[in-house]
Amino acid sequence: MSDDRTATIALLGCGGFIGSHLLERILDATDYRVEGIDLSSRKIAAFLGRKRLTFHTMNVHDVAAMRPVIERCGTVISLAALCNPYLYTHTPIDVIESNFVKIYPLVQACSESGCRLIHFSTSEVYGRTLTGAIDGADPRHVPVSHLLDETATPLLLGPIAAQRWCYASAKQLLERAVFAYGFERGLEYTIVRPFNFIGPRMDFIPGIDGEGVPRVLACFMDALLHDTSIRLVDGGTNRRCFTAIRDAVDAVMLILERRHASRQRIFNIGNPANETTIAALASRMIDLYRELRPEAAGRNFSVEPVTSREFYGEGYEDSDRRVPAVGAIAGALGWTPKIGLVDALRSAMEGFIREYGMKCRKVTGAFRDIVRETV
Ligand code: NAD
Ligand code: UGA
């Protein structure tokens, strides 16, 4: 492989939440050239002038257009996907196509052109815990199944009619395809299973720069910024481990740099110390919001339970718990997460307030009176 090719990375989905942070770090901290691909450059406008970035507004499903890009690169980092749970129960065909059918040809192209592939899967491939899947199970009598290990934990997904799992199934099958291409054709790969990364530039605020229902952090920020109710799906009893995007990018950079140690590996990237129920997440975010926006200090924020059927429609099931075992990546690359939940939340919320604070400014009492007088 030519030196030029080895020194060039194709970043598919570079305009998204993770992609934009990864792009920034690669440009700032390495000498790599980047061929960035996305349908939109809105979140990376600040980087478009950088000399070592060539951005293409392109659909990664257009393999004929993608192939020459891949053949100019030594490494492909594959992030492009539909990965928003509201879509899993509303447009499952798009979700299956985006996460398997139309991304599978890229795996073939990487294999045929001798490209290294770093592929972003998801913690959702683990599905539900044994305890969560056995109605009324007494956790004392069910083996510990919430600590999710890349090589030991079974993948436990819900029935076909629970369409929420179409994303996890598509991601799982693509993992199996990548593994098979490594096994039969010698494709060099690393598979990443992210656990709820959070940070600035995540998702969107409905009605401002996107439509539909974003992931939980943006949902809760939407409610805080607009002073509407935070809604807890099924009471917010399910749990997640949230990972600061800065910690996550550190891990991916190690995967990029430590090629041999990452070869043919699957790595969880997450922070087991940052587990919280969604209900407790809402409380923490309300407290932090009051701290970050003193004018909201006296405000009472409402929190209300909703059923998953009301919120997501038919076919939703949830992951009850997802605690990443991180021994594999610690042992191979020496990475351990460092940023606690409150600091990760603070950084993400500051990003939302910077981006949307003025756009969502509530018409305060005084200003409303002036408007009334002048109308
Ligand atoms: P995101 O939605 O912010 O970014 C995805 C990007 O891919 C978007 O910019 C989108 O425009 C682009 N994209 C989608 N389809 C495309 C196509 N056909 N052609 C070109 N571009 C396309 O999502 P994210 O949170 O940055 O996630 C990135 C990857 O990581 C996804 O594969 C996702 O499944 C995975 N992941 C993310 C998390 C997380 O915590 N954010 C957790 C688990 C897995
Ligand atoms: C997400 C998405 O599937 C993917 O981005 C990613 O693959 C996966 O995280 C991951 O980290 O691997 P999930 O965590 O279920 O999955 O998505 P969120 O929308 O962030 O929901 C988290 C929890 O909050 C769920 O229990 C959901 O029901 C709940 N929720 C969400 C609420 O209670 N209220 C809301 O307004 C939104």
Side-chain angles (χ1 to χ4, degrees):
M1 188 178 285
S2 71
D3 291 348
D4 259 1
R5 198 176 162 200
T6 306
T8 306
I9 292 171
L11 192 54
L12 314 187
C14 67
F17 164 50
I18 299 175
S20 64
H21 288 276
L22 209 41
L23 175 66
E24 184 174 13
R25 180 75 68 85
I26 291 171
L27 292 174
D28 288 349
T30 77
D31 295 328
Y32 281 109
R33 275 188 11 72
V34 178
E35 300 248 9
I37 316 279
D38 206 300
L39 298 168
S40 159
S41 60
R42 184 173 61 82
K43 293 184 179 179
I44 56 169
F47 311 121
L48 293 179
R50 299 287 284 269
K51 275 205 322 292
R52 284 182 285 112
L53 168 62
T54 306
F55 177 74
H56 309 268
T57 305
M58 196 189 280
N59 189 326
V60 297
H61 302 159
D62 179 353
V63 185
M66 285 299 301
R67 197 172 277 275
V69 176
I70 290 174
E71 282 162 4
R72 291 197 293 268
C73 299
T75 300
V76 169
I77 302 179
S78 161
L79 292 146
L82 295 179
C83 50
N84 169 336
Y86 189 79
L87 300 176
Y88 310 163
T89 54
H90 286 80
T91 55
I93 294 173
D94 285 348
V95 171
I96 291 165
E97 289 185 346
S98 165
N99 288 284
F100 179 71
V101 178
K102 295 186 176 176
I103 210 87
Y104 177 81
L106 276 172
V107 178
Q108 292 173 301
C110 287
S111 177
E112 287 156 11
S113 62
C115 238
R116 177 196 183 196
L117 174 62
I118 299 174
H119 175 69
F120 274 68
S121 180
T122 170
S123 69
E124 291 228 3
V125 296
Y126 293 104
R128 312 174 70 181
T129 64
L130 272 174
T131 317
I134 306 167
D135 283 344
D138 180 336
R140 289 168 300 171
H141 304 143
V142 178
V144 167
S145 66
H146 60 265
L147 188 61
L148 306 176
D149 179 277
E150 300 91 336
T151 53
T153 303
L155 310 180
L156 193 58
L157 302 179
I160 296 301
Q163 293 199 99
R164 187 266 165 78
W165 303 112
C166 68
Y167 166 75
S169 304
K171 284 284 195 182
Q172 182 194 135
L173 189 53
L174 200 87
E175 284 197 25
R176 292 185 187 280
V178 169
F179 189 92
Y181 268 85
F183 177 72
E184 288 196 49
R185 307 275 171 86
L187 168 68
E188 182 183 350
Y189 68 84
T190 306
I191 292 170
V192 168
R193 289 179 181 165
F195 282 69
N196 292 87
F197 295 176
I198 56 173
R201 302 198 290 262
M202 179 170 202
D203 289 5
F204 56 88
I205 294 291
I208 293 185
D209 56 354
E211 291 311 321
V213 177
R215 290 170 286 195
V216 69
L217 215 82
C219 280
F220 287 8
M221 283 309 299
D222 180 21
L224 292 168
L225 287 162
H226 286 103
D227 200 3
T228 54
S229 274
I230 284 182
R231 290 174 291 173
L232 296 180
V233 172
D234 295 337
T237 54
N238 290 313
R239 299 185 229 188
R240 293 293 187 273
C241 292
F242 291 97
T243 310
I245 188 65
R246 191 150 47 92
D247 269 344
V249 169
D250 287 347
V252 180
M253 294 306 287
L254 281 169
I255 290 170
L256 188 57
E257 289 147 21
R258 305 277 299 283
R259 187 168 182 157
H260 180 70
S262 307
R263 197 178 190 288
Q264 315 314 68
R265 297 298 299 270
I266 300 175
F267 291 130
N268 290 335
I269 298 180
N271 190 334
N274 284 358
E275 186 179 38
T276 176
T277 64
I278 299 302
L281 173 73
S283 304
R284 276 181 196 274
M285 288 181 69
I286 290 169
D287 293 344
L288 276 170
Y289 191 74
R290 288 200 179 104
E291 177 194 312
L292 295 170
R293 293 200 102 173
E295 72 269 28
R299 232 190 273 164
N300 284 320
F301 292 96
S302 72
V303 178
E304 64 178 59
V306 292
T307 66
S308 55
R309 177 179 295 188
E310 286 165 335
F311 192 82
Y312 287 113
E314 292 296 328
Y316 183 82
E317 277 186 357
D318 210 335
S319 292
D320 48 309
R321 287 186 82 176
R322 292 182 191 160
V323 181
V326 288
I329 192 168
L333 305 176
W335 178 86
T336 55
K338 295 184 175 49
I339 300 171
L341 180 59
V342 173
D343 288 341
L345 282 174
R346 182 179 282 110
S347 166
M349 292 175 71
E350 283 169 344
F352 274 97
I353 291 168
R354 257 194 323 274
E355 178 69 24
Y356 300 101
M358 288 310 288
K359 299 171 189 168
C360 301
R361 178 163 292 283
K362 266 191 74 62
V363 177
T364 56
F367 181 64
R368 192 172 30 243
D369 295 345
I370 293 165
V371 168
R372 219 177 263 134
E373 276 159 24
T374 51
V375 168

